[in-house]
Amino acid sequence: PYLLHSLGNKTRIDYGTGHENCFVFFLTALAQIGFFVPEDAESLALGVFWEYLQLARKLQLQYKLEPAGSHGCWSLDDYQFIPFMWGSAQLFDHDSLLPSSIHDDLKVRQYSTEYYYMHCVQFIKEVKSGHISE
């Protein structure tokens, strides 16, 4: 059921962090049965999950899915949390991308296809109104 539940809830027509966790659990279950090897971890996190995130974003927009649960009150993004954690790890000790870089639209656009965190910020700027600090 992890894979099925990773795309949102068809009854409530919503999507949230629990759904993205289902996808990670699905990948973890496959790893536990030996489908993946430890050396696949980076490709899974930066490749497979990236593609899942692109699909999830399309579904969120196409079907106007409601944020599940707390409606995003604990995160900048109403739908995702894992990309912020992994994105922070990607940017740890980065030479030129600092926390304040999220306010630089050029840097956000430039790095949104390379770093999860910048991708998430770009998505927020595209779908929400108002300043990101609100």
Side-chain angles (χ1 to χ4, degrees), residues 71-83:
H71 298 278
C73 69
W74 304 115
S75 179
L76 289 172
D77 188 321
D78 291 336
Y79 302 103
Q80 312 299 148
F81 184 69
I82 290 173

Side-chain angles (χ1 to χ4, degrees), residues 9-80:
N9 184 291
K10 68 180 182 178
T11 303
R12 293 188 310 265
I13 311 174
D14 68 2
Y15 176 95
T17 56
H19 298 101
E20 74 175 0
N21 273 314
C22 280
F23 187 74
V24 172
F25 293 154
F26 171 70
L27 295 178
T28 302
L30 290 176
Q32 290 295 315
I33 63 168
F35 191 81
F36 301 119
V37 295
E39 294 78 23
D40 292 333
E42 186 174 340
S43 294
L44 291 171
L46 299 178
V48 174
F49 189 83
W50 180 267
E51 294 302 322
Y52 162 76
L53 181 60
Q54 303 311 306
L55 174 61
R57 296 291 195 200
K58 286 179 184 175
L59 293 172
Q60 291 160 19
L61 296 174
Q62 180 70 32
Y63 295 102
K64 298 176 179 32
L65 299 179
E66 288 289 323
S70 63
H71 298 278
C73 69
W74 304 115
S75 179
L76 289 172
D77 188 321
D78 291 336
Y79 302 103
Q80 312 299 148

Side-chain angles (χ1 to χ4, degrees), residues 112-130:
S112 66
T113 59
E114 191 174 347
Y115 295 103
Y116 277 122
Y117 203 93
M118 297 309 236
H119 167 78
C120 290
V121 171
Q122 179 67 30
F123 182 76
I124 291 166
K125 289 181 178 219
E126 290 173 0
V127 300
K128 289 190 170 190
S129 59

